[in-house]
Amino acid sequence: MTIEASKSEQRAAKIRLGMVGGGQGAFIGAVHRMAARLDDHYDLVAGALSSTPEKSLASGRDLGLDPTRCYGSFDEMAQIEAARPDGIEAVSIVTPNHMHYPAAKAFLERGIHVICDKPLTSNLEDAKKLKEVAEKAKALFILTHNYTGYPMVRHARELVQNGELGEIRLVQMEYPQDWLAEPVEQTGAKQAVWRTDPAQSGVGGSTGDIGTHAYNLGSFISGLELQELAADVHTFVEGRRLDDNAHVMLRFQGGAKGLLWCSQVATGNENGLKVRIYGTKAGIEWTQADPNYLWFTKLGEPKQLITRGGAGAGSAAARVTRIPGGHPEGYLEAFATIYSEAAQAIHAARSGATVDPDVVYPTVDDGVKGVAFVTACIQSSQQNGAWVRV
Ligand SMILES: NC(=O)c1ccc[n+]([C@@H]2O[C@H](COP(=O)([O-])OP(=O)(O)OC[C@H]3O[C@@H](n4cnc5c(N)ncnc54)[C@H](O)[C@@H]3O)[C@@H](O)[C@H]2O)c1
């Protein structure tokens, strides 16, 4: 089943969407808006787009929102929208990390579905509280670990699930960047300022910002549960208050071993997310810079290059592929796939139907695991790299 705009049975009325964060000058909010539009399932109708009422209104005007639905705070938006007969059914939360918990809680408790960016929260206590709220709520919680939306990532996961790799031995993940190689937060650069502030970002710097993505992706493909880890978390840039590099050894339930490297000071790397998984029968390699391709090597055989839309790609990749092979799909399409998966679940919730079992999206549980991973990395490193249970 391909996620595509033309599927008549999916053409239920569009989901009325609100957004918290993503105002003028913000980064990921605009990506969420594009992702929500791609498969035509949502209408953005309201927002608390910025931290001040004035900027929220100005940002809403830029997007053509009804000024009466541009709110000064997410609390006001949750209250008023929940009471409107045509109020929002779902909200995207794209603020700095420390606001995820209070904002998500405000909407979930009013029965409004939440699509929230990662990491789930800025600390483990909030993550566990949010899990409780989400479990009690009459609404869904979707976490945008967007890399799980790539067709070749879905194919890699299907290969593991079909036993093509045999028993998994090794899971290698890395996410190097270089944009924080210098103290850019001291220049006032918005995205760097909050990411290096423990009060807004949380206990982790690079570990929370990109380590959680790499960890989630390795777990998503391999299906393995992390048991314990030993980490060397470090801050290279003088004066910075959170980590900008981490090397982490991982032990998974069942005996597989892993290694995760995340860095924001690795010169020459932009968003170098890469996952390699090796089992008793075969190995796979996928890199975000070349997302339409997956290397698959059976033991004793030449390497195979599986292409998105090509002959070797299976049904899991096909259902999230939009255009023929050879025409590249990328970051925005993968992000849109998370929105489309969420839309299918929200449509099902609306009508009381059962969700298609092929629908997959990261959940609040994945979010708690991510924050637990960050917390354990910091604890381990503070004990000179001791093994810590997750
Ligand atoms: N999935 C991904 O690939 C990805 C990529 C980048 C960022 N993110 C995550 O998205 C979130 C935002 O990151 P960003 O880089 O877009 O940050 P940003 O600083 O560019 O944007 C944050 C926005 O939130 C607004 N905001 C802050 N407090 C608010 C409040 N109380 N109410 C309403 N709006 C408020 C700011 O005014 C700004 O518009 C973070 O949690 C980050 O980890 C995810």
Side-chain angles (χ1 to χ4, degrees):
M1 182 188 67
T2 306
I3 291 180
E4 54 186 21
S6 61
K7 285 210 69 169
S8 57
E9 68 270 27
Q10 289 175 15
R11 292 298 100 191
K14 285 191 195 172
I15 297 160
R16 297 181 300 277
L17 182 69
M19 182 168 275
V20 180
Q24 289 173 340
F27 165 42
I28 207 68
V31 172
H32 280 249
R33 292 192 291 271
M34 288 186 262
R37 276 205 300 272
L38 193 69
D39 295 319
D40 238 1
H41 291 296
Y42 300 85
D43 258 343
L44 182 70
V45 293
L49 297 166
S50 206
S51 48
T52 68
E54 300 72 32
K55 206 168 166 193
S56 186
L57 180 62
S59 303
R61 282 191 196 279
D62 286 352
L63 298 175
L65 292 184
D66 174 349
T68 65
R69 296 180 84 176
C70 297
Y71 298 95
S73 75
F74 64 77
D75 260 328
E76 186 192 6
M77 170 164 150
Q79 270 178 41
I80 296 176
E81 287 292 325
R84 283 178 73 118
D86 63 346
I88 57 168
E89 302 169 272
V91 66
S92 303
I93 299 178
V94 287
T95 61
N97 308 342
H98 68 307
M99 298 310 296
H100 294 178
Y101 170 61
K105 184 172 184 286
F107 291 95
L108 285 172
E109 287 182 343
R110 291 176 171 89
I112 295 169
H113 306 295
V114 168
I115 302 171
C116 181
D117 220 314
K118 46 48 66 180
L120 182 66
T121 55
S122 56
N123 62 67
L124 192 52
E125 201 190 331
D126 281 358
K128 288 178 179 166
K129 285 193 285 187
L130 185 48
K131 178 177 154 73
E132 270 181 39
V133 172
E135 282 171 354
K136 282 190 199 135
K138 292 191 183 73
L140 301 166
F141 185 93
I142 294 99
L143 188 69
T144 50
H145 274 304
N146 46 294
Y147 304 108
T148 62
Y150 279 105
M152 288 295 93
V153 165
R154 297 290 175 102
H155 184 65
R157 183 171 185 260
E158 189 175 49
L159 287 173
V160 172
Q161 287 177 341
N162 289 345
E164 299 273 353
L165 270 70
E167 195 179 322
I168 292 176
R169 291 171 166 163
L170 305 169
V171 184
Q172 304 285 118
M173 294 147 275
E174 62 184 58
Y175 198 153
Q177 300 178 326
D178 64 4
W179 72 290
L180 292 177
E182 294 192 306
V184 287
E185 61 270 35
Q186 290 173 22
T187 67
K190 183 183 172 73
Q191 281 77 20
V193 169
W194 73 255
R195 277 181 172 80
T196 54
D197 173 7
Q200 297 184 75
S201 189
V203 288
S206 67
T207 44
D209 200 34
I210 50 176
T212 49
H213 266 317
Y215 167 54
N216 174 265
L217 191 61
S219 306
F220 179 77
I221 298 173
S222 71
L224 294 175
E225 290 290 334
L226 184 59
Q227 199 162 47
E228 54 184 348
L229 61 77
D232 185 8
V233 175
H234 191 71
T235 307
F236 280 100
V237 172
E238 209 177 321
R240 181 165 289 157
R241 290 179 289 163
L242 289 171
D243 63 85
D244 50 30
N245 189 86
H247 291 102
V248 191
M249 290 194 290
L250 308 163
R251 290 176 180 157
F252 293 96
Q253 283 173 17
K257 309 286 184 193
L259 206 53
L260 186 150
W261 172 46
C262 58
S263 184
Q264 292 175 317
V265 298
T267 301
N269 290 280
E270 292 168 329
N271 283 286
L273 176 61
K274 182 172 182 174
V275 178
R276 291 173 286 171
I277 301 182
Y278 304 103
T280 48
K281 296 197 323 202
I284 46 177
E285 296 180 29
W286 179 83
T287 173
Q288 206 219 177
D290 214 2
N292 292 275
Y293 301 100
L294 175 75
W295 286 105
F296 174 55
T297 312
K298 290 187 182 171
L299 189 63
E301 294 187 19
K303 284 167 91 88
Q304 292 178 42
L305 186 60
I306 317 263
T307 66
R308 185 195 54 74
S315 58
R319 70 174 281 283
V320 295
T321 290
R322 294 175 182 78
I323 50 176
H327 296 306
E329 286 189 15
Y331 182 79
L332 293 175
E333 287 90 342
F335 221 115
T337 287
I338 306 299
Y339 266 85
S340 294
E341 298 281 49
Q344 292 191 48
I346 292 169
H347 282 146
R350 219 194 230 170
S351 63
T354 311
V355 188
D356 183 332
D358 289 338
V359 168
V360 181
Y361 56 78
T363 63
V364 76
D365 287 325
D366 296 311
V368 175
K369 286 179 194 171
V371 183
F373 163 80
V374 176
T375 310
C377 285
I378 306 301
Q379 274 174 8
S380 165
S381 199
Q382 284 169 348
Q383 298 167 52
N384 200 24
W387 285 97
V388 168
R389 286 192 88 79
V390 179

